[in-house]
Amino acid sequence: MKIDEEKCVECQLCMAYCPVGAIKSSDEDVYVDQESCVECAVCLKSGVCPQEAFYQPPLEWPRILRSQFSDPLVAHPVTGIMGRGTAEMKTNDVTGRFREGEVGFAIEMGRPGISTSLIDVEKVAMALVGKVDFEALNPVTVLLDKGTGRFKDPRVRGVRALSAIIECKTTEDRGLEVLNILKEVSEKIDTVFSLCVINRCQGHKVPFKTRMEEAGYTPRINGKTNVGLGRPLA
Amino acid sequence: MTHTHHRRGSRESLEKDFVVLAMIDPAVKAQHTYKEPLTERVTRFLDICGRHNPVALAARTPDRRLRYLKGWDANMDGGIHRAANVSEITSCEDIEGIGHAVYTNKPDVAGLLEELKDADLGLSIVVSGVFEEVFDACERAGIEPHTVNMSLETWGKTELLPKSPVLELCTMCGHAMIAPKLAETLMDRVKRGGMTPEEAAVELGKQCTCNIFNTVRAAEIIRSNTIEQAQP
């Protein structure tokens, strides 16, 4: 995103709207710091600028990834849907993506609102290689070399995004091992990640929740429940 | 797409916060053609949602987003954000296969689920909220939960996170479209008497393009951290 200097009157009203604080001011002007801007377009969409000074220049590879990962109104070319990941458990009642005895993880790098360098995404992906099955249709997975967890195109590492989700799954028996790996690698990154753990219900029981609690991992009281009304392939 | 997940706050506050999402899976073709055309089923979903007191309701058409947000007046519009009323959404004829609604109490959600179960729309329904409350609502509706997505909070450099109540406000938009600085700025304006908590809540909610922001809960959070805090 950029600001048209000819239109900007330096009122600075826009500065509070940027989720990552990329709109900055100097003695001369108000500008978008291109390194920290994640191309989420919140500034443009908010309509806060009375001069309509924001404009979106064409984005080339790999910078276009910033927009694909950050702006939920931009459909990712891999998933074909808007948002940063897949349908994950939201349609599990018709896809069976996560079956009994399996546990899914969504590691959302940079969330909530901190943003992430894709270098940190790579660090976490590399730590998980060989321990999980990565979700094939996920926008991060398609950028990775599956054997190493490194990005196939090293230029991707310079990308910054509001968040990027690593989606994967393993068996309940190996789930705690994955959590321990994530704990270790979380100390080596320069951002945060929010961690989702997906599990099939058995009545009102959640088998992997009990295992996590016994191992000292306590989930929050709130989360998402697929209530099983999707019908066709259930 | 975990945008309704990881909402922060006290149990008391979170018990007034439910997000209901309907979607179909792109790869499951049978779900696209179940019983009736998809558009009619999503319209019925939205109609049922509209009868149970939503504080937010959203749907998509091929070229626009229809957004009802409690307290949002169309005169407050700016940028791409446009307000709609509930009937405008439920009467729209070119709805696509996804919809959201936000509620503030369990009886409304239980009633909604019971109606959705009877309607048998063939749409996957996900409810975000306090698990005990959601499971109880399922039980009241005669539904068995299928799969859960639990939150193990935030790991890594957590010292970078904004403090409460900003975090509670900002995490009501899972795509992080609401800047912590905006939440701080608007709360400061409320403190100085420049706007009401409800107006501040709507300005925050407008940034959440998926329209899953709970303006009623947000206004309560803003009020308790500004006006009530300032009272002797």
Side-chain angles (χ1 to χ4, degrees):
Chain A
M1 191 63 63
K2 290 192 174 172
I3 294 174
D4 185 336
E5 288 176 33
E6 300 297 315
K7 291 182 179 175
C8 178
V9 292
E10 298 176 39
C11 64
Q12 303 189 8
L13 285 173
C14 56
M15 291 176 70
Y17 282 76
C18 178
V20 294
I23 305 174
K24 296 179 176 169
S25 65
S26 68
D27 290 343
E28 291 84 38
D29 58 4
V30 176
Y31 63 98
V32 179
D33 173 33
Q34 295 300 301
E35 179 49 37
S36 49
C37 173
V38 292
E39 304 290 0
C40 64
V42 166
C43 50
L44 180 68
K45 288 180 285 192
S46 72
V48 65
C49 179
Q51 297 295 108
E52 298 184 357
F54 286 101
Y55 69 99
Q56 178 68 73
L59 299 173
E60 304 293 333
W61 178 269
R63 192 169 180 93
I64 196 167
L65 288 172
R66 293 186 185 226
S67 173
Q68 290 170 356
F69 279 112
S70 303
D71 184 348
L73 297 189
V74 172
H76 195 280
V78 173
T79 59
I81 56 176
M82 296 176 195
R84 295 172 191 157
T86 66
E88 36 103 355
M89 53 72 77
K90 291 196 285 292
T91 53
N92 199 44
D93 50 347
V94 293
T95 62
R97 180 179 272 128
F98 306 100
R99 298 184 181 279
E100 285 186 7
E102 292 182 331
V103 57
F105 298 97
I107 305 131
E108 187 159 0
M109 305 291 302
R111 182 172 175 179
I114 300 303
S115 77
T116 185
S117 158
L118 266 63
I119 292 173
D120 280 327
V121 176
E122 188 180 67
K123 279 181 197 166
V124 176
M126 287 172 68
L128 292 172
V129 164
K131 306 292 182 186
V132 297
D133 296 324
F134 290 102
E135 164 60 51
L137 290 175
N138 171 279
V140 171
T141 304
V142 297
L143 298 171
L144 297 173
D145 175 295
K146 290 174 188 60
T148 63
R150 290 184 185 279
F151 288 118
K152 288 180 270 194
D153 181 343
R155 291 177 296 169
V156 168
R157 303 173 88 224
V159 169
R160 194 157 189 89
L162 201 41
S163 78
I165 311 175
I166 298 169
E167 291 179 82
C168 56
K169 70 175 182 178
T170 187
T171 61
E172 285 181 4
D173 288 339
R174 298 188 73 176
L176 292 176
E177 184 188 354
V178 171
L179 289 179
N180 292 336
I181 290 167
L182 290 171
K183 191 175 182 183
E184 201 175 314
V185 74
S186 73
E187 291 164 12
K188 298 173 184 166
I189 56 174
D190 288 322
T191 184
V192 295
F193 60 77
S194 291
L195 182 54
C196 302
V197 182
I198 298 163
N199 199 212
R200 283 284 299 268
C201 299
Q202 290 179 355
H204 283 202
K205 301 281 185 203
V206 182
F208 194 66
K209 178 172 184 278
T210 310
R211 286 203 196 192
M212 285 197 296
E213 287 171 338
E214 285 170 358
Y217 295 107
T218 308
R220 286 186 57 78
I221 58 169
N222 57 317
K224 294 163 54 172
T225 304
N226 180 323
V227 300
L229 294 180
R231 192 53 77 84
L233 300 179
Chain B
M1 256 193 358
T2 59
H3 63 330
T4 65
H5 210 6
H6 305 300
R7 288 157 95 104
R8 301 294 191 100
S10 66
R11 183 180 182 113
E12 186 190 5
S13 178
L14 290 168
E15 282 180 351
K16 299 172 191 167
D17 192 27
F18 299 87
V19 185
V20 178
L21 162 77
M23 75 179 294
I24 54 164
D25 195 277
V28 181
K29 298 304 174 199
Q31 209 179 20
H32 296 237
T33 55
Y34 183 69
K35 289 188 177 179
E36 293 172 90
L38 179 61
T39 299
E40 287 176 27
R41 288 182 285 136
V42 179
T43 301
R44 281 176 64 201
F45 165 78
L46 294 166
D47 189 44
I48 292 169
C49 286
R51 288 203 293 270
H52 293 272
N53 310 310
V55 295
L57 187 66
R60 267 205 318 246
T61 71
D63 57 359
R64 65 205 157 112
R65 288 190 171 211
L66 295 166
R67 300 175 53 188
Y68 161 73
L69 200 57
K70 188 169 183 175
W72 186 5
D73 186 316
N75 295 326
M76 298 160 72
D77 285 349
I80 69 158
H81 308 305
R82 292 285 179 272
N85 57 43
V86 172
S87 61
E88 194 180 337
I89 295 172
T90 56
S91 63
C92 184
E93 291 181 353
D94 55 349
I95 295 286
E96 290 185 330
I98 193 164
H100 295 101
V102 180
Y103 297 89
T104 56
N105 70 74
K106 183 166 62 176
D108 283 335
V109 175
L112 167 71
L113 290 178
E114 195 171 351
E115 252 197 275
L116 288 176
K117 181 191 168 203
D118 293 343
D120 190 20
L121 299 173
L123 304 172
S124 292
I125 306 291
V126 175
V127 183
S128 298
V130 174
F131 282 119
E132 279 181 28
E133 301 296 303
V134 174
F135 278 31
D136 191 40
C138 285
E139 194 161 3
R140 289 190 198 187
I143 292 171
E144 191 133 291
H146 185 279
T147 306
V148 292
N149 188 340
M150 299 170 278
S151 168
L152 276 180
E153 307 254 10
T154 306
W155 297 17
K157 288 200 166 174
T158 53
E159 64 272 22
L160 298 173
L161 296 175
K163 304 294 179 211
S164 179
V166 170
L167 192 60
E168 292 167 37
L169 293 168
C170 292
T171 53
M172 279 196 275
C173 171
H175 288 125
M177 299 287 100
I178 299 172
K181 184 73 179 166
L182 182 63
E184 287 167 11
T185 301
L186 296 180
M187 282 204 293
D188 188 52
R189 209 172 289 168
V190 171
K191 237 181 232 176
R192 290 187 283 108
M195 68 194 313
T196 66
E198 286 74 18
E199 287 168 341
V202 169
E203 184 58 22
L204 292 174
K206 280 164 60 179
Q207 314 311 317
C208 172
T209 45
C210 295
N211 213 57
I212 56 170
F213 191 82
N214 183 336
T215 50
V216 173
R217 178 177 174 235
E220 279 183 17
I221 292 169
I222 294 167
R223 179 175 288 103
S224 65
N225 286 280
T226 52
I227 299 166
E228 287 172 11
Q229 204 175 58
Q231 287 169 346

